[in-house]
Amino acid sequence: MKRNRDYSTAALLLAMGLASTFACSKPEAVAERTLRAVRTVVAETSAAQRIRTFSGTSESSLQSRLSFKVSGTIEELPIEVGDNLKRGQVLARVDASQYQLEAQQAQASLVQAQASLRNAESSYERIQGLYENNNASRGDLDSARANAESGRAQVRSAEKQLELARLNVSYTRLRAAEDCSVATVDVEVNENINAGSTVAMVNCGDQLEVDLAIPEGLISGVDRGMAAEISFDALPGETFAGKVTEVGVPGQDSATFAVTVAILDQHEGLRPGLAAEVLFQFASSGRDDLVLIPLSAVAKDPAGSYVYLAKPAGDGEAVVARQGVQLGELTELGVEVLSGVSTGDLVITAGVALIQEGLRVRLQEGASQSGEGVSAAESQEG
């Protein structure tokens, strides 16, 4: 009886398992095909120009560092940064006491020299009369003449000393040579300064310019008279015409060349000290049929540089094709392709690391666009 009971239990469990299996089993769902979405650009030709932008600061074309011609202690400094100065206006004054005393001493020396000259000339006239009457020797006459000439020389020297002393007195006042604005003030009242030390920097005139540092690899394309386009952060949306006026030489420890660009346009918002961006267009290889693509589209392996092209397959889909390329120069519009890509090719710009030759992909709607100004896009998966 017990053995029959065990067989019945086993049969029951087997039946329950089979029923459960058949009840749970369903036809397998067909996996829906998912395609990776890619972004592309249309390869286009360019005017074969390299656009370069350099940063600088607007400055007055007549910028001057003002300094005293004499040393002394600053007694007066009636200017502040931003002040507008008129021609001849006093910017600063140093203690003139010493130079006034020197002028007085030079005046006294001149008076003494003039008195000595009068005596010498009087003596010469008297001896000349005696000589004519044979009452004086030739030697006496020559000596009197020499004394008179020496007296005249001493007077001339004293006059020059007095002129110099008076100039030094005038140099104790620093004046504006033109109508200017104060850019910096580098001294303070009661400060002792030497001749030639900068007291203030001023900007004179209405003409503004921008000083730039151009690397040696591009300086050969910069010449005097070259056109440029200038923009300022402080004046958004505004652009100004510029022209290269000076091309300098590199510094002792620098590989850049100093270039000055004059701002040709006038604007009430322009002033010295504004951050500027100066755009140049440099001629490239002399060809106008080069293809430009974004740098983000280019990959490289031991076989060389390559891109992935999207070969349209209809219904918004495409097949990926790997294409080796020979690259030219990198520009702000993209990288030049000397061979491997033709005008009109769809170049994949996003998700390059996630695709491969022969993969079927979906062209992202609205993603095909001109290569001009295109940056790396985000890769997306369907």
Side-chain angles (χ1 to χ4, degrees):
M1 290 294 293
K2 183 177 181 180
R3 179 177 299 176
N4 291 335
R5 187 183 299 114
D6 291 341
Y7 286 147
S8 299
T9 302
L12 179 60
L13 293 174
L14 178 60
M16 292 175 63
L18 291 174
S20 175
T21 300
F22 284 111
C24 295
S25 63
K26 295 181 180 179
E28 292 185 3
V30 178
E32 183 180 355
R33 186 182 63 169
T34 302
L35 299 180
R36 186 180 303 279
V38 297
R39 290 186 177 182
T40 62
V41 295
V42 179
E44 294 183 349
T45 57
S46 168
Q49 291 180 329
R50 293 178 296 162
I51 298 178
R52 292 291 185 271
T53 302
F54 301 93
S55 299
T57 303
S58 61
E59 298 178 354
S60 172
S61 60
L62 297 176
Q63 190 174 70
S64 302
R65 295 181 180 272
L66 302 183
S67 62
F68 284 102
K69 295 183 179 181
V70 295
S71 58
T73 302
I74 299 291
E75 279 195 340
E76 184 181 355
L77 191 65
I79 60 170
E80 295 180 354
V81 174
D83 286 352
N84 292 320
L85 306 176
K86 297 297 183 181
R87 181 187 181 96
Q89 182 176 339
V90 175
L91 284 76
R93 183 172 62 85
V94 297
D95 183 8
S97 301
Q98 175 184 347
Y99 303 105
Q100 290 172 345
L101 290 174
E102 291 176 353
Q104 293 172 4
Q105 184 176 5
Q107 178 68 46
S109 297
L110 175 60
V111 172
Q112 184 178 3
Q114 289 172 339
S116 298
L117 175 59
R118 286 195 295 269
N119 289 333
E121 289 179 339
S122 176
S123 177
Y124 174 62
E125 291 176 358
R126 185 176 64 256
I127 293 176
Q128 188 177 25
L130 293 174
Y131 176 77
E132 291 175 353
N133 294 323
N134 296 322
N135 291 323
S137 66
R138 181 70 182 186
D140 294 335
L141 179 64
D142 292 339
S143 178
R145 183 188 297 112
N147 289 336
E149 292 176 352
S150 177
R152 296 189 190 97
Q154 290 177 0
V155 168
R156 288 194 296 269
S157 176
E159 289 174 343
K160 295 299 181 183
Q161 291 296 327
L162 178 58
E163 181 181 354
L164 179 60
R166 288 174 174 171
L167 278 176
N168 286 338
V169 172
S170 69
Y171 291 155
T172 60
R173 286 177 172 81
L174 186 61
R175 301 178 183 274
E178 301 289 342
D179 292 348
C180 304
S181 62
V182 180
T184 64
V185 178
D186 302 319
V187 297
E188 296 180 355
V189 176
N190 296 325
E191 181 177 346
N192 293 321
I193 63 169
N194 296 321
S197 299
T198 300
V199 173
M201 180 182 292
V202 296
N203 297 314
C204 305
D206 297 329
Q207 181 65 55
L208 295 177
E209 61 188 22
V210 180
D211 289 333
L212 306 172
I214 306 295
E216 60 182 349
L218 295 174
I219 195 62
S220 61
V222 179
D223 297 309
R224 293 186 63 182
M226 182 178 181
E229 184 177 289
I230 306 171
S231 60
F232 298 89
D233 293 339
L235 300 171
E238 299 279 353
T239 58
F240 303 88
K243 182 177 70 173
V244 176
T245 56
E246 296 181 15
V247 179
V249 296
Q252 183 175 1
D253 300 322
S254 175
T256 60
F257 290 71
V259 173
T260 301
V261 179
I263 303 174
L264 303 181
D265 298 331
Q266 299 291 329
H267 191 282
E268 61 182 5
L270 289 177
R271 64 192 63 191
L274 298 181
E277 296 289 331
V278 181
L279 183 146
F280 292 99
Q281 290 187 341
F282 297 93
S284 184
S285 57
R287 297 171 52 185
D288 58 3
D289 59 347
L290 294 178
V291 174
L292 290 180
I293 62 174
L295 183 61
S296 60
V298 181
K300 191 173 184 180
D301 62 13
S305 298
Y306 64 92
V307 298
Y308 284 116
L309 302 180
K311 301 294 185 179
D315 296 330
E317 298 181 5
V319 177
V320 175
R322 172 173 165 151
Q323 177 63 53
V325 293
Q326 181 183 357
L327 302 179
E329 299 181 6
L330 177 63
T331 76
E332 288 193 358
L333 297 179
V335 62
E336 296 175 348
V337 181
L338 304 181
S339 64
V341 176
S342 302
T343 303
D345 286 345
L346 290 182
V347 182
I348 297 175
T349 61
V352 175
L354 304 176
I355 58 179
Q356 59 186 358
E357 174 83 20
L359 183 67
R360 199 174 186 89
V361 295
R362 177 170 55 86
L363 297 177
Q364 183 175 343
E365 185 176 355
S368 296
Q369 52 189 300
S370 169
E372 182 172 339
V374 176
S375 60
E378 298 177 354
S379 63
Q380 301 184 7
E381 295 187 8

